[in-house]
C-alpha cells in the first residue's frame, strides 16, 4: 500500500506539473486546482466518515443481536455436510473443520475482519495435518480460494457506505453481490482443483517426523478480535444431509429470484432485516436492546478508526482527479472497457481491490460521492458490487499463510485471482442485467 499510495500522489503531481508548465494563463492554474483538490478531498473524507457513523452502528448492532442468538452456529451446521465432502483429507471432528466453518459463516454474514481470527485458527489447524512444512497443502489452498471468494449474504459495510452517500436504495446491491460471490466461489473451488495438477506437492522430507519442524498450534499467533467478544466455538454438530440440501437449493433459488425481482424486493430488504434480526434475537432469548447497543458501540469505533485511511486514499484520488491524470486514464481505456460493461471510471476499483482493501475502499467512496456519478448510477452500483463481492487477495494470502510460515504457495494465488476475475465478470453481468447497461 505504501507504493500504491506514493504512486497515486506522484502521478497526480507530475500531471499537474506538466499542465502547469504548459499553462497559458487562462482559468485557474493547474497547481492551484491540485491544491483545492487536496483540501476538498481531506474534508470530504471526514464528512463521509461522520455520515457513516449512524448507519454503521445500526448494522453492527443488528449483526451482534443475530450472532448472540446463534445465527452463526446455525449457518455452521448447515454447511458442515458440504465442507466434509470438499475437504475429505480433513477429519470431520478436527479443529480445522470447525474453524473453517466458522470463518465462512462469518464471511457470509458480512462480518469482515471479525472472520479473520477464525481463518487464521483454521490455517494453523490445517498446518497440523500438513506433512510438508512450509508448503501449502491442497486443503490450505482450497480454503484460501473459498475464503477470498466467499459467498456473501449481507454486505453490511457496503450498504452502510451507500446509505451514507445518499443512496435512495442502499440495499440494491444485495442481489448483484449474491450472484457475483456465488459465481466467484464456484470458480475458486474449480480453480483450486484444476490448478493443483500444475503445482504438485514436493516429495515428503526424508528426516524422521520427530525431527521435522513442529507445526503451529491453533492457539498460537491468533490476532486480536475486533471487539471483546470471545471467539465462538463450533460444537461439531450438523443438521441432517437433507436439511442442508434443502437449504442449499433454497439458497441457489435466491439467485434467479433476486436477479428477476431484485428491484421490487430491494425496498423491503433493510426494514425486513431490522425486523427479522430483532425478532430472531427475541425468540432466541437475547436481551436485544442491550446486545444491540453493545454492537452499535463497535460501529461508532469502526467509523472513527477509518478516518485516517479515508483521508489518505481520498486525498490521493482527489489529486488524481484534480490533476487531470484520472480523466486521461478514463479517456484512454473507456472505449475498450465501456462496451463490455466496465466503464473506465470503475476500472481502477477492479484492479486495486485484490491489492489493497483500504485503497479500493477509498476509490469506491470517491466514486459514489462524486456528484456527477453518485451511488445509484450504473457506475456507483457496479463499484459497490465489486467492493462487496471481491476480496483483498494479497492481504489474505500474506496474513493467513504468514501465520503458519508457509513459503511455497503453490497454486493458491492463481486460484484466488481466478475467483476475483470471475467475480468482476459476474458483477458486470448482474448489474448490467438488473440496471440496464448493455453488454456486448
Amino acid at each position: 500500500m505504501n507504493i500504491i499510495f506514493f504512486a497515486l500522489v506522484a502521478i497526480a503531481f507530475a500531471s499537474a506539473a506538466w499542465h502547469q508548465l504548459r499553462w497559458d494563463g487562462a482559468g485557474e492554474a493547474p497547481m492551484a486546482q491540485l491544491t483545492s483538490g487536496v483540501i476538498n478531498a481531506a474534508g470530504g473524507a471526514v464528512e463521509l466518515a461522520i455520515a457513516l457513523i449512524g448507519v454503521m452502528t445500526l448494522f453492527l448492532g443488528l449483526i451482534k443481536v443475530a450472532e448472540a442468538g446463534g445465527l452463526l452456529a446455525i449457518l455452521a451446521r448447515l454447511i458442515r455436510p458440504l465442507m466434509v465432502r470438499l475437504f475429505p483429507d480433513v477429519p470431520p471432528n478436527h479443529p480445522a473443520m470447525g474453524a473453517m466453518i466458522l470463518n465462512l459463516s462469518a464471511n457470509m454474514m458480512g462480518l469482515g475482519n471479525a472472520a479473520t481470527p477464525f481463518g487464521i485458527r483454521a490455517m494453523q489447524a490445517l498446518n497440523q495435518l500438513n506433512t510438508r512444512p512450509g508448503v501449502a497443502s491442497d486443503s490450505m489452498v482450497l480454503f484460501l480460494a473459498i475464503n477470498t471468494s466467499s459467498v456473501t449474504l449481507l454486505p453490511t459495510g457496503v450498504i452502510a457506505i451507500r446509505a451514507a452517500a445518499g443512496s435512495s436504495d442502499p440495499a440494491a446491491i444485495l442481489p448483484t453481490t449474491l450472484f457475483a460471490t456465488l459465481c466467484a466461489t464456484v470458480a475458486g473451488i474449480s480453480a483450486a482443483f484444476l490448478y493443483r495438477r500444475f503445482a504438485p506437492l514436493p516429495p515428503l522430507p526424508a528426516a524422521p517426523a520427530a525431527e521435522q519442524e513442529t507445526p503451529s498450534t491453533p492457539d498460537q499467533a491468533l490476532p486480536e478480535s475486533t471487539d471483546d467478544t470471545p471467539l465462538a466455538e463450533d460444537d461439531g454438530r450438523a443438521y441432517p444431509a437433507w436439511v442442508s440440501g434443502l437449504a442449499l437449493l433454497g439458497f441457489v433459488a435466491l439467485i434467479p429470484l433476486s436477479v428477476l425481482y431484485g428491484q421490487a424486493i430491494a425496498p423491503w430488504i433493510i426494514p425486513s432485516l431490522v425486523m427479522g434480526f430483532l425478532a430472531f434475537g427475541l425468540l432466541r432469548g437475547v436481551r436485544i436492546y442491550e446486545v444491540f447497543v453493545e454492537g452499535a458501540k463497535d460501529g461508532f469505533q469502526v467509523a472513527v478508526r477509518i478516518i485516517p485511511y479515508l483521508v489518505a486514499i481520498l486525498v490521493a484520488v482527489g489529486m488524481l482527479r484534480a490533476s487531470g491524470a484520472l480523466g486521461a486514464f478514463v479517456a484512454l481505456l473507456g472505449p475498450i472497457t465501456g462496451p463490455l460493461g466496465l466503464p473506465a471510471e470503475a476500472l481502477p476499483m477492479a484492479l486495486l481491490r485484490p491489492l489493497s482493501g483500504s485503497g479500493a475502499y477509498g476509490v469506491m467512496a470517491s466514486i459514489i460521492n462524486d456528484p456527477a456519478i453518485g451511488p445509484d448510477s450504473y457506475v456507483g452500483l457496479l463499484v459497490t458490487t465489486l467492493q462487496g463481492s471481491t476480496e483483498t487477495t494479497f492481504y489474505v494470502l500474506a496474513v493467513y499463510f504468514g501465520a503458519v510460515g508457509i513459503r511455497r504457495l503453490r497454486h493458491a494465488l492463481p486460484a484466488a485471482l481466478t475467483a476475483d476475475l470471475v467475480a468482476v465478470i459476474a458483477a458486470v453481468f448482474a448489474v448490467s442485467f438488473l440496471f440496464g447497461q448493455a453488454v456486448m
Side-chain angles (χ1 to χ4, degrees), residues 223-252:
E224 294 183 1
S225 180
T226 54
D227 54 31
D228 295 329
T229 305
L231 292 181
E233 296 293 340
D234 178 42
D235 57 13
R237 292 185 292 172
Y239 291 118
W242 65 270
V243 174
S244 297
L246 285 178
L248 179 61
L249 289 176
F251 174 75
V252 172

Side-chain angles (χ1 to χ4, degrees), residues 68-282:
L71 186 57
L72 209 60
I74 293 174
L75 289 174
R77 293 177 189 175
L78 281 173
I79 66 176
R80 177 175 283 276
L82 177 62
M83 293 290 289
V84 169
R85 288 166 175 77
L86 283 175
F87 295 88
D89 51 343
V90 178
N93 294 322
H94 193 275
M97 186 65 72
M100 286 192 295
I101 289 172
L102 288 173
N103 170 265
L104 299 179
S105 299
N107 279 329
M108 290 172 68
M109 294 302 300
L111 295 181
N113 289 336
T116 302
F118 298 131
I120 295 181
R121 176 177 287 179
M123 194 60 68
Q124 291 172 327
L126 286 173
N127 201 40
Q128 288 183 314
L129 303 172
N130 189 9
T131 56
R132 296 166 175 84
V135 180
S137 66
D138 290 339
S139 294
M140 288 178 170
V141 173
L142 179 57
F143 172 61
L144 256 298
I146 297 174
N147 182 278
T148 55
S149 55
S150 190
V151 173
T152 303
L153 297 175
L154 187 61
T156 52
V158 183
I159 292 175
I161 296 167
R162 287 179 51 79
S167 172
S168 60
D169 187 6
I173 62 163
L174 276 179
T176 55
T177 302
L178 180 60
F179 177 78
T181 53
L182 181 63
C183 292
T185 300
V186 172
I189 293 172
S190 302
F193 281 108
L194 177 64
Y195 297 164
R196 69 170 56 171
R197 68 181 65 181
F198 304 111
L201 287 166
L204 286 171
E211 299 178 8
Q212 295 179 14
E213 178 183 346
T214 303
S216 302
T217 61
D219 295 328
Q220 294 175 342
L222 280 175
E224 294 183 1
S225 180
T226 54
D227 54 31
D228 295 329
T229 305
L231 292 181
E233 296 293 340
D234 178 42
D235 57 13
R237 292 185 292 172
Y239 291 118
W242 65 270
V243 174
S244 297
L246 285 178
L248 179 61
L249 289 176
F251 174 75
V252 172
L254 288 176
I255 304 298
L257 289 176
S258 62
V259 171
L260 293 174
Y261 303 105
Q263 290 178 305
I265 296 172
W268 291 76
I269 291 175
I270 291 182
S272 299
L273 285 175
V274 175
M275 181 64 191
F277 278 22
L278 293 180
F280 174 81
L282 196 63

Side-chain angles (χ1 to χ4, degrees), residues 329-350:
F329 183 76
V330 169
L332 178 65
L333 294 181
I336 301 174
T337 61
L340 301 176
L342 182 61
E345 298 91 336
L347 189 58
M349 172 73 189

Side-chain angles (χ1 to χ4, degrees), residues 320-413:
L320 277 178
R321 182 178 287 110
S323 69
L326 189 60
F329 183 76
V330 169
L332 178 65
L333 294 181
I336 301 174
T337 61
L340 301 176
L342 182 61
E345 298 91 336
L347 189 58
M349 172 73 189
L351 296 176
L352 193 58
R353 184 69 173 110
L355 297 172
S356 168
S358 60
Y361 184 93
V363 170
M364 176 198 64
S366 69
I367 290 174
I368 65 176
N369 283 278
D370 185 344
I373 299 177
D376 294 326
S377 65
Y378 175 81
V379 173
L381 289 161
L382 179 57
V383 296
T384 48
T385 297
L386 290 174
Q387 178 71 18
S389 57
T390 52
E391 183 55 271
T392 314
T393 299
F394 288 87
Y395 168 81
V396 172
L397 264 65
V399 170
Y400 284 22
F401 281 145
V404 292
I406 295 297
R407 297 178 297 277
R408 290 186 58 182
L409 308 187
R410 297 180 62 223
H411 54 299
L413 182 58

